[in-house]
Structure formats: structure tokens, C-alpha cells
Amino acid sequence: MAVSDHVDFNGFMEGVKRRNPHQPEFVQAVQEVAEDIFDFIEDKEEYHAQQILRRIAEPDRVVSFRVCWEDDNGNIRVQRGYRVQNNNAIGPYKGGIRFHPSVNESVLKFLAFEQTFKNALTGLPMGGGKGGSNFNPKGKSVREIMRFCQSFMTELYRHIGADIDVPAGDIGVGGREIGYMFGQYKRITNQFTGVLTGKGLEFGGSLIRPEATGYGAVYFLADMLAVKGADLGGKTAVISGSGNVATHAAEKIVHLGGKPVTLSDSGGFIHDPEGLTLEKINWVKAHKTHRRGRISEYCDEFTGASYHEGKTPWGVPCDVALPCATQNELLGADARTLVANGCVAVSEGANMPSDLEAVHVFKDAKIMFAPGKAANAGGVAVSGLEMSQNSERRSWSEAELQQMLKDIMAGIHARCLTYGEQGGGYVDYVKGANIAGFKKVADAMLAFGVV
Ligand code: NDP
């Protein structure tokens, strides 16, 4: 008789913890998925016999490498670079690159694990990966950033390729950094291929890629509200972060008639009771991206707003909330405050911004809660469309791409409903997303046998 992994949930998680010591973010991400998957596979013997969950929770490979670069004062600096290739059962590895001092193996393994399910949910043929470095771009000159990106790619290039692994941007990596990395890849390999997404429009980038994650998170929010016969018109939205995802989420909230009242960064948050207009959001985009400014300076520019140093925005009363900064930025107590203040829906623009306790608070209160792997999949979906455009050597129009993004988000929402409807009008979107994403990857793995 085959040895199966018919262990109980606690036994499974004990094994994950033992095999991944000092990797709390990775263990947390696996636990959140396993909580739902255990119920789903209870009566599905082939998943047990083939140890599918155990195999998905073990990355295909983790590459770690040294990145040396020279700062403007001639000092030699040494950083650590990574690429985690989690699973390529349904397509080439795909996932962003993060430059932030908090980057380590645990954070990237959690992100690559989540990415695997997210990419499956989009319906596009993409596996899951993630990479990055503990390099801190803050305070660095443009030339230092260019030298770092070139050095990072000088090692990374041997592990990636248009049909192997296609990285994109993430925290600290925007269009500029992708340009430097693409330039170095092309210089080393002498190939112009769709090896990275998030590229400039002049060299194979796709329209609406910068907007896609934030817009998609709001489309998903609107889809959830529509199930209840509601919409975003007149709704107050609390948003964290002030980077790519947060500013585009705020923009789409305004387009759909809502009122965003907060943004934040790692220093604190601003509260603008009048609401952020498109003009104010454009100022934030330019201020954070081009001037590398702080969100606190918003209050010098616009009267009526207040700055709250060292705080997160979850205490501001709202109808809907969009955490769009980073992992574990919304804790159990914050979730209780949001629910008590009447928040009816949360859509995660960031990856795993709510900790496990917060997720349980939202589920217990039965409010609409969209986990990042569903709600923020719009970014990678448009990256997938960028890959298709590169392969076909063509560019789709903005109108075509906007429609495709909307349709993909609606498709993800529908897949969540398939496995998440709990009766009585309540949809468990976490469960729906976990099971729909898992099933697609798991069934492909079954088809391949033991590899
Ligand atoms: P950006 O680098 O553009 O912005 C990140 C924002 O989060 C900044 O405002 C930053 O503030 C803030 N932030 C970072 N770390 C912390 C922290 N420890 N505490 C509080 N605030 C913090 O990144 P993105 O907008 O691209 O990414 C945001 C989130 O969305 C991440 O979780 C990312 O993985 C996820 N995501 C991004 C996608 C994309 O397409 N870009 C796709 C899918 C998910 P500060 O300036 O002070 O650092």
C-alpha cells in the first residue's frame, strides 16, 4: 500500500515548521492555505497518495547569490540576492523582484508560494516565483541603483528566460529598475526576449501594467459589493501605502465614485477627511516616485489633512479598506477596530497584509474579505498579457487591455464563488481562492507523475 500523507493538520504544520526553522512568514502563508486545503482534500485519495500539498509547500529551488556593487564614494558593498522558483506546473515561473532591507529567504518563499496560487487563479499559464535582495534603494543615487541592478542581473540572468522564469517589479522595483535589469540581460545574452515584465512601452512593455494591481483590487472589491447589490458610490475608503498599488487603488476608487481618505508609508499615515482627488493622487505619485518624498509632506501641500506619525490608518472609520503596503501591516486588533467601525469589505492590494488573527476576525465577522492572492492578481495578469504581446510581437490597445483586466478579475471572483459560497449569502473568499488555485496546480502535478 502506498504511503500517504494522511496526517492531521497539526502534524502537517509541525513538519512545515521543523523543515523551515526561522521562516515565520513562509510558515504563516502555508498555514493559511493548508487550513482550507485540508478540508477540501479530505476525501480525495489521489492528492494524499501523491503527497501534493507536501510537494507544493517545498519550492522547486531557492537560488541565493552574492551581489557586489560600488557606491558613489568608491566603497565596495555586498548584498544578498535571491530567486525562489516555487512551482512551474502550469507555466514558466512568474513573480516580482523586491528590493527592501527586510528581504530574506522566508519572505521570498512566502511570496513565491502565494504567487503560485494567485497565478493559477488568473486563468493564465504562469507558475509561481519571487526574487529580490536586501538592497535598500532609499537614499541611493540613480547611478548607484543602476550599478546595483546591473550586478544583480549579472548573476540572475543564468536562472531566467522567456520560457523559464519571467520576473517583474515589486516593492522598490519599478519601471526604472526593470529598464536597467532588462538592459543588462540584453547586453549579456544578446537576446531581445520577453524575459521581464513591467518594461517601458518603448521596449515591449504593456499599457496599463503600472495601474493593473491597484485597479484590479478595486474591480474585485466592486465585484464583491455587486453580489450584495451594492457599489462603491459614496463609500469611504481607507488605504495604506503610497506606492504603485496604493495610488492606483485610490485612483480607481475615485473613478468609481468612492472617497479615499488615507494613504501611508513606513513613517505614518495621512488622513484627508475631504477625500483624495485625482489631482492630489497625482501629486502623491510624483512626490513618492520621482522626488522620493515622504507621505508626511502631503499635509504641507494640502490643507485640512493630518499626519499621524508611526501609526497605521485602520482606526479611521470607513466603509471599505484596502491594505496596499506590505505583509503583516494589519493585525488582529486593527481588524476588530475596522469591523467595529462598520467596515463592510476589505480588499488586499498587498501580499498577506493581514496577519492570521486578522483574517480570522474578518471571517468570524462574515464581512467581505478578499485575500491578496485573488484581489491583487491584476498586476500579474497584465504581466501575463505582456508576455503574450512579446511572444506575438504586437501591442494591444489600452481599451482592449482594460477590458481584459476587468474580465480576468471577474473570472477570479467567479472562481472564488465556486468554492467559497457558504450559504446564507456569505462567501469565504479566502477558502474560494485557496481551493480554486490549489486545484489547478494540483491537477497539473498529478498529470506529471512523480517529478
Ligand atoms: P512600492 O514600493 O511602490 O510601495 C510600497 C509602499 O508600501 C510604500 O508606500 C512604502 O513606504 C510602504 N511600505 C513598505 N514597507 C513598509 C512597512 N514595513 N511598513 C509600512 N509601509 C511600508 O510597492 P508596491 O506598491 O508595488 O507593492 C505594495 C504591495 O503590493 C507589496 O505587498 C507587493 O508585494 C504587493 N503587490 C504589488 C504588485 C505590483 O504590481 N506592484 C503586484 C501584486 C502585489 P516607504 O516609501 O516608506 O517604504
Side-chain angles (χ1 to χ4, degrees), residues 258-430:
K259 185 165 93 163
V261 292
T262 66
L263 286 176
S264 72
D265 62 19
S266 48
F269 79 93
I270 57 106
H271 179 203
D272 186 343
E274 299 274 293
L276 283 99
T277 57
L278 293 180
E279 184 205 346
K280 291 174 178 177
I281 295 165
N282 282 337
W283 180 88
V284 174
K285 280 186 194 169
H287 184 63
K288 291 289 290 186
T289 316
H290 305 306
R291 299 193 285 276
R292 305 262 148 180
R294 309 304 302 156
I295 197 67
S296 57
E297 284 143 358
Y298 182 96
C299 299
D300 304 330
E301 193 70 17
F302 303 107
T303 52
S306 53
Y307 177 62
H308 305 263
E309 173 116 33
K311 298 237 161 46
T312 50
W314 314 122
V316 175
C318 63
D319 302 305
V320 297
L322 292 117
C324 296
T326 193
Q327 65 270 8
N328 291 329
E329 54 160 324
L330 195 165
L331 310 179
D334 301 318
R336 279 187 284 278
T337 305
L338 282 166
V339 171
N341 283 343
C343 175
V344 295
V346 177
S347 181
E348 291 189 332
N351 286 310
M352 208 169 74
S354 311
D355 75 354
L356 272 174
E357 191 189 344
V359 173
H360 287 139
V361 170
F362 293 140
K363 281 187 170 198
D364 292 346
K366 297 202 165 160
I367 69 165
M368 290 169 258
F369 172 67
K373 63 173 75 71
N376 72 33
V380 74
V382 174
S383 274
L385 301 178
E386 184 173 331
M387 288 166 73
S388 303
Q389 293 171 87
N390 292 164
S391 300
E392 285 188 53
R393 304 275 193 272
R394 62 171 297 194
S395 303
W396 289 319
S397 71
E398 181 168 347
E400 286 172 302
L401 287 159
Q402 290 280 12
Q403 193 55 49
M404 286 187 227
L405 172 61
K406 259 192 205 161
D407 292 346
I408 288 171
M409 295 314 295
I412 297 171
H413 184 262
R415 277 172 212 117
C416 291
L417 291 188
T418 303
Y419 295 102
E421 278 185 314
Q422 303 292 295
Y426 173 61
V427 181
D428 182 341
Y429 284 95
V430 179

Side-chain angles (χ1 to χ4, degrees), residues 146-332:
M146 181 184 76
R147 285 196 292 273
F148 179 80
C149 288
Q150 291 175 339
S151 186
F152 183 82
M153 184 52 84
T154 301
E155 173 62 30
L156 185 69
Y157 89 94
R158 69 189 83 240
H159 306 293
I160 61 177
D163 294 319
I164 302 170
D165 182 352
V166 184
D170 191 69
I171 291 178
V173 178
R176 181 180 64 186
E177 291 75 18
I178 292 289
Y180 291 147
M181 286 192 268
F182 186 72
Q184 184 72 354
Y185 181 87
K186 195 167 63 61
R187 179 199 212 178
I188 296 171
T189 63
N190 198 26
Q191 285 183 9
F192 195 112
T193 63
V195 69
L196 292 169
T197 58
K199 299 185 291 298
L201 292 177
E202 307 77 13
F203 51 96
S206 175
L207 287 164
I208 82 157
R209 175 62 189 90
E211 295 89 345
T213 308
Y215 279 19
V218 177
Y219 288 144
F220 198 94
L221 181 59
D223 286 340
M224 290 198 296
L225 290 168
V227 172
K228 306 270 183 198
D231 61 33
L232 277 162
K235 297 247 177 345
T236 298
V238 159
I239 302 176
S240 65
S242 49
N244 175 276
V245 180
T247 51
H248 290 108
E251 192 169 285
K252 188 48 75 181
I253 291 275
V254 174
H255 291 165
L256 298 183
K259 185 165 93 163
V261 292
T262 66
L263 286 176
S264 72
D265 62 19
S266 48
F269 79 93
I270 57 106
H271 179 203
D272 186 343
E274 299 274 293
L276 283 99
T277 57
L278 293 180
E279 184 205 346
K280 291 174 178 177
I281 295 165
N282 282 337
W283 180 88
V284 174
K285 280 186 194 169
H287 184 63
K288 291 289 290 186
T289 316
H290 305 306
R291 299 193 285 276
R292 305 262 148 180
R294 309 304 302 156
I295 197 67
S296 57
E297 284 143 358
Y298 182 96
C299 299
D300 304 330
E301 193 70 17
F302 303 107
T303 52
S306 53
Y307 177 62
H308 305 263
E309 173 116 33
K311 298 237 161 46
T312 50
W314 314 122
V316 175
C318 63
D319 302 305
V320 297
L322 292 117
C324 296
T326 193
Q327 65 270 8
N328 291 329
E329 54 160 324
L330 195 165
L331 310 179

